[in-house]
Amino acid sequence: MLKKSHYHNLSSCIAGIYRHARNDASRYTGETTLRGTQGDLIVYLYDHPGLSQRQIARDLCVDPSLLARDLKALKAQGLVSREQNPADHRVNIIALTRSGADIARKRIRLVNNWWIDLFKQNPDIDPETFESELRCVYNRLLANQL
């Protein structure tokens, strides 16, 4: 049983898992122009099209000014578009371009393969239970931000 005095190790484990998956995906795609958060944005936008900058910042727990900087860089690379919402001109809707979607699909495939390999090498870890528990924590954190 995990001692409460060791709960801080959960954050280190989650961060390490994330960095391994992200770094391996970046290495295998040969991407050198995308920073970590930018790669995450590309994938998130693929899975969640039509969101505003505010929604993206909240969902990814990213500072809005840092998100704006990353979106500006992605737009300069031709990977995203930023359009005003016709219903509310104060809101920017973010979308992937065709090139951005191509990168997202490649990254998703590589990260999925990374997890497939991890679960094959560790059959004692049940992917459904693992995902369910992580999703539960994530959803509760999102709910607390609203």
Side-chain angles (χ1 to χ4, degrees):
M1 176 174 228
L2 182 63
K3 295 179 183 178
K4 289 182 182 179
S5 61
H6 293 158
Y7 280 5
H8 66 281
N9 291 325
L10 294 171
S11 295
S12 298
C13 290
I14 292 168
I17 292 165
Y18 163 75
R19 281 193 297 274
H20 277 283
R22 182 194 68 205
N23 291 344
D24 287 351
S26 293
R27 184 173 30 253
Y28 293 122
T29 59
E31 295 167 6
T32 58
T33 58
L34 294 181
R35 295 187 12 230
T37 304
Q38 293 169 353
D40 296 339
L41 277 170
I42 294 284
V43 170
Y44 194 77
L45 291 170
Y46 185 83
D47 286 338
H48 303 89
L51 295 180
S52 70
Q53 282 184 234
R54 176 173 286 167
Q55 291 169 305
I56 297 164
R58 184 200 70 215
D59 291 355
L60 293 180
C61 197
V62 175
D63 181 89
S65 63
L66 296 177
L67 176 63
R69 183 190 67 197
D70 283 335
L71 289 172
K72 183 178 178 181
L74 292 172
K75 186 175 180 186
Q77 294 176 54
L79 302 177
V80 301
S81 65
R82 186 179 352 194
E83 305 295 331
Q84 284 186 333
N85 183 341
D88 185 349
H89 293 289
R90 298 169 297 165
V91 176
N92 287 318
I93 302 299
I94 310 303
L96 289 177
T97 63
R98 182 171 285 136
S99 297
D102 289 344
I103 290 172
R105 282 190 293 274
K106 190 173 187 181
R107 288 181 69 90
I108 289 167
R109 185 176 58 252
L110 290 168
V111 170
N112 283 343
N113 287 338
W114 185 90
W115 282 103
I116 289 167
D117 289 344
L118 178 86
F119 290 128
K120 278 183 185 175
Q121 294 169 14
N122 299 279
D124 54 316
I125 302 172
D126 177 54
E128 286 78 22
T129 302
F130 187 77
E131 191 274 340
S132 175
E133 294 294 324
L134 287 176
R135 177 69 49 200
C136 180
V137 171
Y138 179 71
N139 287 339
R140 288 185 185 177
L141 291 171
L142 278 181
N144 289 336
Q145 287 182 354
L146 300 177

